[in-house]
Amino acid sequence: KMPIVTGLSGNEMYCLDKKGYQAVDLVVGNSVWSLGLLSSLTSLAKTIAGGEVGQYTEWINNGRRRAYEKLIREAEQRGGRGITGVTSELVMHPVGLEFLSIGSCIHSDEQSENFSTSADGQGLYCQLDCGFRPVRFVFGNVAYSIGIGGGLAGALRSMARGEVKEWSEVFNRTRHLALDRIRAEAKAAGANAVLGIRTTITPFYGSREMIMIGTA
């Protein structure tokens, strides 16, 4: 029998055992994409104008979902009932952009619906203990640009002390848009809550991507 390789710590394994789950294996899903010259030029024009760069948002969203789907398939092949600590990352390579999703597969002898969660083993234990039932890992993302106008106005305003309203407005709109999208994804999955939301901002070809991840 091959040894188990997992991202779960001893504490996490202990907590999950109390809920009837055992560690199976670390599972990985990835997808490498190339943007293409035409899309790059079109989206570059949008980054100059400012606001959401729709093509980038859709492109990143598709790449993250493809990697996540492969993660789910690998967990099913290993007989997993759930995946904890699910992540969704971007890795820049010379040949393109790699979307990477990693998690720790767990198994239960009880007949229960398969699930995935961004929570670690201890977080999952606490969620189960207080009555929540995880459905699936969810995310909402927005690729956006401040634009030349907002960038210049903000840069001039930042020379003086105080709030830079142009940048506050851009970041506020973007965060609410990502929040609306993660809420919509959770609703589509049949969930009534999203727990453990974490926000990350990543540079992306002259723009930025804001992503919120959590558990529906």
Side-chain angles (χ1 to χ4, degrees):
K1 187 177 180 180
M2 293 296 292
I4 293 173
V5 178
T6 179
L8 296 171
S9 67
N11 286 339
E12 291 174 285
M13 293 175 70
Y14 176 83
C15 289
L16 291 177
D17 183 68
K18 295 295 183 182
K19 294 299 181 181
Y21 290 102
Q22 298 80 42
V24 180
D25 261 325
L26 194 73
V27 285
V28 179
N30 80 319
S31 184
V32 179
W33 290 57
S34 172
L35 184 60
L37 179 60
L38 183 61
S39 296
S40 298
L41 292 175
T42 304
S43 298
L44 179 60
K46 182 62 178 177
T47 62
I48 294 173
E52 180 178 9
V53 186
Q55 283 182 307
Y56 282 177
T57 298
E58 182 180 3
W59 192 59
I60 297 171
N61 189 287
N62 290 337
R64 289 188 186 276
R65 292 193 186 284
R66 186 74 59 84
Y68 173 75
E69 289 166 2
K70 291 182 178 180
L71 176 82
I72 295 297
R73 287 200 297 270
E74 187 167 305
E76 290 173 349
Q77 291 168 1
R78 284 165 167 72
R81 282 289 177 186
I83 314 171
T84 69
V86 176
T87 62
S88 184
E89 303 172 20
L90 300 181
V91 183
M92 294 285 188
H93 296 288
V95 296
L97 184 68
E98 181 185 24
F99 299 91
L100 182 63
S101 198
I102 300 175
S104 295
C105 192
I106 55 177
H107 176 76
S108 174
D109 293 329
E110 296 181 7
Q111 294 299 317
S112 58
E113 293 184 16
N114 293 354
F115 66 88
S116 59
T117 172
S118 62
D120 61 16
Q122 289 171 296
L124 176 58
Y125 171 87
C126 292
Q127 291 170 7
L128 292 170
D129 206 47
C130 64
F132 284 97
R133 179 176 61 84
V135 179
R136 56 161 294 180
F137 170 86
V138 288
F139 72 89
N141 75 314
V142 183
Y144 67 97
S145 170
I146 294 175
I148 289 181
L152 289 175
L156 291 173
R157 192 180 294 272
S158 66
M159 292 179 182
R161 186 174 298 174
E163 181 183 9
V164 183
K165 294 183 179 179
E166 292 80 5
W167 292 352
S168 294
E169 290 173 2
V170 169
F171 298 152
N172 186 55
R173 286 198 307 271
T174 305
R175 282 195 170 88
H176 278 86
L177 190 54
L179 190 60
D180 288 341
R181 289 173 180 173
I182 195 173
R183 184 185 288 117
E185 186 167 306
K187 185 177 180 180
N192 61 5
V194 184
L195 306 182
I197 290 181
R198 297 196 298 271
T199 306
T200 305
I201 299 175
T202 306
F204 186 84
Y205 292 114
S207 62
R208 294 181 177 90
E209 185 216 18
M210 181 177 294
I211 180 171
M212 291 186 177
I213 69 169
T215 303

